[in-house]
Each structure stands twice: as C-alpha cells, then as structure tokens.
Amino acid sequence: MAEKQVDRTREYVRIESVTKRFGDFVAVDQVSLSIYKGEIFCLLGGSGCGKTTLLRMLAGFEMPTSGRILIDGQDMASIPPYERPVNMMFQSYALFPHMTVERNVAFGLEQEGLPKAETAQRVAEMLDIVQLGAFAHRKPHQLSGGQRQRVALARALVKRPKLLLLDEPLGALDKKLREQTQFELINLQEKLGVTFIVVTHDQEEAMTLATRIGVMNKGQIVQVGTPTDIYEFPSSRFVADFIGSVNLFEGRLVDDEPDHVRIRCGELEAPVFVSHGISAAPDAEVCVAIRPEKILMSRTPPASGENRAQGVVIEIAYMGDVSVYLVRLDGGRVVRVTAPNVERHAEDRIVWDERVHLAWHPSSPVVLTN
Amino acid sequence: MNGRFRNTMLVLGLGFLYIPILSMVVFSFNNSRLVTVWDAANSPTLKWYAALLDNAQILGAARLSIEIAAATATGAVVLGTLAGLALARFGPFRGRAFLSAMTTAPLVMPEVITGLSILLLFVALEQAIGWPDGRGFLTITLAHITFCLAYVTVVVQSRLAGFDDSLEEAALDLGARPATVFWRITLPLILPAIVSGWLLAFTLSWDDVVISQFVAGPSASTLPMVVFSKVRLGVSPDINALASLMVLIVAVCVVCSTLWMRRRERQRQREEQMARAAGG
Amino acid sequence: MSDAFARLDRRARGLLARVRGRNLVIGIPYLWLLLFFVVPFLIVFKISFSEVRLAMPPYAPLFEQAADGSRMVAIFNLGNYGYLLTDSLYFSTFLYSLKVAAVSTLLCLLIGYPMAYAIARARESTRNLLLMLIMLPFWTSFLLRVYAWVGLLKTDGVINNALLAAGLIDQPLSLLYTDFAVYVGIVYSYLPFMILPLYSNLEKHDLTLLEAAADLGARPVTTFLRVTLPLSLPGVVAGCLLVFIPAVGEYVIPSLLGRSDQLMIGRVLSDEFFANRDWPVASAVAIVLLVVLLAPIMLFQRYQNRELEAARR
C-alpha cells in the first residue's frame, strides 16, 4: 500500500526504557519507543521475542519491572487496566461465551454507566459498521471465525478508545479471509481515527497494515521504520534475514568514498560496487545483503566488470507469480534469485544445470556494518 | 487390548455394579421377612414401603440428613469456589502450595482419621472456649463442609482451568472492576461447576456415616447412622425399600440431567457446524 | 509464544494479582482448612502422647506445671506408641489392612482398566451414556450398596440359593464375613474411582499412535504393552491411589462384610475410641496410619497438581 505520512508532532504513547523480567527471564529489555496519533504501529517478531508482553504492559495486565509507560502524557504505573483509555483485541478474541453478540459489544459501555438507550444505539451503530447487525442475538459459538473476529473488534472499538491494541488480529483466519480483513481493518482505522498497535509474527501482515514497524528480537527493538525502510534498508543482519529472504556476503571494505564504496567478498569473483557512501572505517569487515528479486539472471555476461557473478542453476521452484532459482557460484556458494514469470509459455526459459550470469544494480546491495 | 475382550469386561463390570442394586429393588417388593427368600404367593407387595413411611425414626433421621447435606453443600460451595478461584487465577502467592495440599489431601484421607481428628478439635475447643456447646447439627455440618470443600475446589478449579483467562482480562480491559468481572464473567462461566459441586457435596454429606459417627452427639442421628446401626444387626426389608426409593430418585435425576446436557451439547454442535458452513 | 515462555509467563502472571479483596478470597478457605483440617491433626498428634484418664475428656492434660511450679511444660509420653509396638495385634492389623487394600486395588485395576478402555473407545454418543452408568451407583448411597451384598452373600442369600437351585453345590458356601466378601465390597464401592481417571487418560490418547505402531509392524498385543499401557500410567497411578489410600482405613465395608477374628485398622481405631474410650491410643493409631499413608498421599497430590496444570495449557 502507499505509505501514509505520520505526524511526528503528535506523540501519543511513549515507552521509556521499559524492562520486564519473569524470574531470570528477560522478556522485554530496555525498550524505548514513541507511537504517534493515528498510526498503525506493528510490533513484529518471532515467538518469545517479547512483543506480546510489551502489548500486555500497555493494556495494564503486566507491570514493567523498570521504566515508564506514558499514554497521552499520563504515567500508567498506577492505573489498572479498567481505567486505561486503551482497549485490546485478544488473539483468542475472548468473546464472552454466555452473552450474545449484542451483550458482548454492550459490556464495555455498561461499565461506563451510559444510559440504556445510548448504549443500545451505539452498539447498533457499531454492529452496522462491522456488518453484523443481523447477528446481534447470536451467541459466539454460532458465528464463523471471521464473524467472531469482527465482534471482537466491534467490542473494543465501541468504547471509542484513542488507542487499540491488537494481538495477532488475523492469526486465526485463513489466508483468503486474512487478506480481505486486512484492508477492512485499515479502512476502519482511517474512518475512526484510532491509533492501532498491532502485534504480529507475520511479516506480510505487518507490511500491509503498518505505517511503521518495530522489529523485535530477544526482548529488544532492533529496528523501527516504515515497511519500505525495513525491507529496503535493514539496519542489521537479523532484520535483513527476518524480513523476506536475502543473500548475505561477508566482505571487506576496499574503497570508501563519500558517494560510493567498493567491497571485496571472498565468495564473489568481482567486487561489489555500491552507489552510496557508508559510515565505516576503511578496511572494515562488512556484510553485503542483496535481495533475490534484485538479482538479474541471463545467459549472456553483463557489461560491467563489477556487481557480477556466474554459476550453475541447481534448483528451480515454480511459485506461480515468480520462480525461485538456486544458483551455485563457481566458488561453491549458493545464491537465491527470483524472477517474475511474465510470459505464459516462455520458450527459452532457463532450465536446470544451465550456466548463467548474475548481475545487480549498484543501488541494490545494502551494506551492513554491524 | 482386544476389542471383544474389553467390551465383554464392560458388560460384566456393569452387571457387577447393578446386580446388587437390582436385587435390593426386587426384594423390596417381597412379602417375606426373610429378605432373600422370594415369597411368590404374596408378592409383590408394597408393605415395606408403607412400613418405611411409618417409621418416625427413619423419617426424622432423613430430615436431619437433608438439612445437614443442604447446609454442607452450600457452605462447601462458597468456600470451595473461593479456594478454586485462588488456586486457578491468582498466580503465585505465599502459601499457595500449602493451600493446594490442604484441598487435595481430604480427597483420599481415610474417614476414620478425619472423623477422629475433627472430633478432638471440637472437644478441645469446647474445653477451651465453651464452643461448640454440645455436638449435633452444627458439628456434623462443620465437619462435612471441611471434607466436601476439597471436592468442590477440584471441580471449580478444573472448570476455571478450561477457560482462557483472557476472558477475564477482556472484561477488565473493557472497564469492568474486578468484582464486576467476577459476578458477570467468572461466576456465570463456572456456574455448571458450582451446581455439580453442590450436588456432589450434598451427596457426600448425605452418604457419610463414619465422620458423622465421630462428631454427632448422642442426640443427633443422621440417616446413614440409623441405617448402619440397623444393618449391623442383620438385613431388614424396610431398608431394601429405602434403598430402592433412593435409587429411584437418583436415577431419575441423573438420567434427566444427562439427557438434557446431551441435547444441549448436540444443539451446540449443530449450531457450530452451521456457523462454519456459513463461513465469512 | 514458545511453550516454556508461555508457562513462565503464566506462572508469573496471576490475573487478579493486584486486586483488593484478594487476601480475603485466599484467606477465608485458608483459615477454614487450617482450623478444621490442620489444627485437628496437631491435636491428635499431641493427644497420642497423653495418658488415658477416667475423665471427660478421657486423657491427661497436655500441659502440666513443671516441678518448680513456675511454668507449663508439654508432656510427651511415648507409652501409647510403645503399646502399639509391643502388642502384635496392632502390627498384624496394619499388615492385614495394607494387604486387603493392595489386593482390592489390584482387582479394581484388572476389572477397571478394560472397562475404562472400552468406554474410551466407544462411539461418542454411547460414551456419555456408559459414563453415566458408571457414575449412577456412586450417587446412590454407598452404605446401602454395601448392605446389598449382605443379602447376596449370606448363607441363605441370593447367590447361595441360586447355586443350590441350579444344583451346582450341595452345601451353601460361606461367603459372607470372609476376606472374599471384603474384596468384593471394596472393589464394588471403589470401582468408579479407578475407572474415571483411567478413562480421562485413555480418552485423550492420539489414535494415530496405534496406527503408527501397527504400520511399523507391531501386533495389537505389542502395541498395547508398548504404547497404550505406558501412556496410561498416570491414570493407573491416580486410580490406584484413589482406591488404595481410603481402602487402608476403610471402616464400613469390613464392619458389614468382613471377618470378626481379623479386624482392619479403621475398625480398631474406632473400637479404641468408642468401646475402650482410650483416646490416646486411638490417636496414636491415627498418627501411625497417617505416617504409613503419607507417601501415597503426597504422590497423589503431585499427580493431582500436574493434572490441573496440564488442563491450563
């Protein structure tokens, strides 16, 4: 999706060096983060990386071992979950099984002591928004997975929170439904102007939903940025490897100029030329990351003497929209290359055991210095 | 294990469980005083049932037993629910292991030990502070609550364990205070466990003879105590009638509740299937 | 979340961890059990060191003034335990009770296992019906069901009459007031306690394991011995403990069905208490019984906790 601009002047959530320990285990380690009004911020990471714990601290179910959480400028330390201006959509949806859809959605408003008529009206409105008006009198077990997900969303949103926390909001849905629901979520978020913090382990989901992504690993935030930033300019090997697939080459900086660098990699025959400068000591050990779709493959050798390699195709996987090729370079290293399947019946498709030349644009490689 | 072998064992085992009960029911209609000799000429007869309903001692004891069982079940449900809630939902707290031990030990503790020890407590208390003054309804009920509470705790605890605590978290998140969460979410969810805990405690109390014998004073006799002293002297046909009546009542209740639960379960499965089929 | 992490998280959490009134919820049942379950044991323990007196209560005071009259001292008199040790009656009674409980437990297991297995593998609709049939006797009076066996096992009882009528025996068998009658009574009363934990274990087994074993060439007997049986061990242990521990101290069944020349320990305890009014010796018997059963009770608690923890995941 097109990237939305985030208004950085309107900070809404501020997490200040928050740490959470469970016994000896550090679940969240010195995390500092600002989240702005109106964004969809995705916390992305593998299982056990601390993303859910961080979310639960925002909701008030866990207390930070140290550090502060401020929401709208107010310190949350002494505020119990039922007094926070925050609502959460649970991974399991946590719909009350003994209440109808309508009662579930009304529950939060009843706690505010709203008049009955107003409660009923707001519940009806919200059920219309999520297109569940016809299901108001059903119990949760009479709904499909997608409908349950929308009830959970309606129940959290009907309270008009400024901040909605979503724990794996699409995790329980099948693939088709997930794609459709992603866009519904975004539309709803824009319409209601709520700030979303989404926890997910699914990078595609994070890419589609997020205005910004915070990648977490071992309790720490390793990179924060827009989806494009995270994908095109990963700041570490972990992020490069975790998001999408990547070919990583160890190398040494041989030519360090303000507008370009040259790197020699033991596994590549020619030097890597990168068309922008980096901040690293000359002669430093660095790592070059090149995405598989940014490598061009052909039978004829490229014109340039740099950014090139050659090898033999050892594996082809047809994925429909693209094909993945594994090419063993002459030095023995296996490189992953993807190419779109533009034509339906390509006569001269590259086949197994064929000798091929690889090349890439000087702007493609990312140099990772740490 | 071979399917035919285990099914045969199942049938034989069920026969083993039901033949004694059936024989009691059959002989409750027997005319002869000799409980086990069928007097074909004058049977079946209802005279033992009539004798039973004339027996003031048995009726009085039954009444006392019902009162004790109802009070016990109610007390045990309140305390057992609190204990189950604490064990299942409060995370770690000081003394948790001890509380857990105190609620599982009574499940297997031989009744003679429980009975003796709690009686000695009552005697010591009476000596020290003059309470409980004498023994009877109150002491029996207190003793029964103590051993029944363990059963209720286990039932409530395992029901709570079956529910994700995110349900309660969701309620807190939607602005409900902890007390509201308990009354509106937790309690309705564990209600089936509370009902079955109540029935279980009622039955255990109604059935108990050993502990009651220790803690009942000379004035109070529960139904099992009366029955026990009668059957120790040998068989008597009006006890057959009593047993048959109890079997009848229990069977009707159990069969009805099982059928009702089964129907509800089926209904639920059908609805879930329909919801899945509708998709979306 | 990884399993280990989820477990850690859950243990550390405790949803209502900061709730006011939380101490009340814990405290009320806690104090109740302390007063009516734990303190009584301490009193029994103390009285087991006392001397019998002709008074009410019939034991010597637990505390007496020291010789110089300045303070109270606790009296510990080991006489009752010495008595239990020297009189071989108690030793043989304990041994007999353990034997009866062990044999009954084994019989329960042998009968209950195939039954539980058959129920666990029955069709889902019949399963609940069968469980109901197992549970139904449990809801009817235990005492009356034991009493039913008196009518069946008597010399002129139903079984003897039937066997005589069928011409299988000439003389009535003496069945009642024997070890056999006690075994029948205990197995009959405790069978549901064996079947239920076994059933809930067997019902959870993954049936593809059996198919996998068969696929790998194991015959049904081998599959049972090497897959099903080992997996069901927790259920076996739980069922056996649920039968064995209460059976050792069983009072009603041996009183109605058992021998009069060989009592079980529960009966001895109750006779010491009611007939002899020797409360200190009865207390000592209770303490020894408790010590004997301590290990199985702790094993049972460990199993019970594990079951409840497992249900949480």
Side-chain angles (χ1 to χ4, degrees), chain A residues 46-218:
Chain A
S47 52
C49 73
K51 56 191 193 301
T52 298
T53 308
L54 190 57
L55 198 74
R56 292 175 56 81
M57 286 194 280
L58 287 167
F61 299 129
E62 310 284 359
M63 278 301 170
T65 313
S66 64
R68 285 206 306 169
I69 293 176
L70 294 102
I71 297 179
D72 212 4
Q74 192 189 3
D75 190 341
M76 288 287 122
S78 60
I79 314 270
Y82 46 90
E83 283 168 7
R84 296 194 179 197
V86 173
N87 285 112
M88 177 150 164
M89 199 187 120
F90 288 79
Q91 183 175 11
S92 62
Y93 306 147
L95 299 180
F96 306 133
H98 56 302
M99 295 182 191
T100 60
V101 167
E102 196 176 31
R103 301 318 311 156
N104 262 286
V105 178
F107 185 88
L109 297 178
E110 286 164 8
Q111 306 312 317
E112 292 175 14
L114 239 55
K116 275 215 164 68
E118 196 185 338
T119 302
Q121 190 209 335
R122 270 172 67 177
V123 169
E125 264 171 33
M126 189 45 79
L127 286 180
D128 278 345
I129 291 177
V130 297
Q131 297 157 28
L132 282 174
F135 298 90
H137 299 292
R138 289 226 185 151
K139 292 262 185 83
H141 73 268
Q142 296 167 305
L143 301 175
S144 70
Q147 291 164 341
R148 282 182 217 181
Q149 193 260 2
R150 280 181 281 154
V151 177
L153 195 61
R155 189 178 68 176
L157 285 174
V158 79
K159 295 201 35 132
R160 298 183 183 155
K162 295 273 171 31
L163 176 64
L164 185 68
L165 309 173
L166 302 97
D167 188 3
E168 304 276 0
L170 310 171
L173 305 180
D174 58 44
K175 197 172 183 315
K176 263 253 148 61
L177 198 56
R178 199 153 60 205
E179 274 174 20
Q180 180 193 337
T181 315
Q182 275 171 4
F183 293 108
E184 283 177 12
L185 264 183
I186 295 168
N187 288 337
L188 208 59
Q189 191 264 347
E190 280 175 352
K191 190 153 133 194
L192 301 173
V194 189
T195 307
F196 277 18
I197 299 180
V198 180
V199 153
T200 180
H201 69 277
D202 181 338
Q203 42 168 305
E204 260 179 62
E205 190 172 309
M207 293 287 198
T208 321
L209 287 175
T211 48
R212 284 195 306 151
I213 294 175
V215 183
M216 284 190 80
N217 184 34
K218 293 182 184 160

Side-chain angles (χ1 to χ4, degrees), chain B residues 17-18 36 92 101 104 119 207, chain C residues 11 133 141-142 156 188 273 301:
Chain B
L17 285 179
Y18 280 90
T36 51
T104 45
L119 170 65
D207 224 16
Chain C
R11 265 200 298 150
L133 284 176
S141 170
F142 156 73
D156 60 346
Y188 179 67
F273 187 84
Q301 293 197 320

Side-chain angles (χ1 to χ4, degrees), chain B residues 234-263:
Chain B
V235 286
S236 64
D238 50 347
I239 297 297
N240 279 341
L242 176 70
S244 307
L245 275 181
M246 281 170 54
V247 168
L248 179 73
I249 295 170
V250 168
V252 167
C253 293
V254 171
V255 169
C256 285
S257 72
T258 306
L259 288 180
W260 182 71
M261 270 167 17
R262 219 168 107 181
R263 226 187 60 190

Side-chain angles (χ1 to χ4, degrees), chain B residues 223-235:
Chain B
L223 184 61
M225 287 166 69
V226 172
V227 170
F228 189 52
S229 63
K230 257 177 111 83
V231 298
R232 275 182 107 165
L233 303 173
V235 286

Side-chain angles (χ1 to χ4, degrees), chain A residues 242-261:
Chain A
F242 184 73
I243 315 278
S245 42
V246 72
N247 297 297
L248 291 167
F249 302 96
E250 305 287 344
R252 183 178 294 277
L253 204 56
V254 291
D255 185 5
D256 184 11
E257 300 294 329
D259 64 336
H260 70 268
V261 292

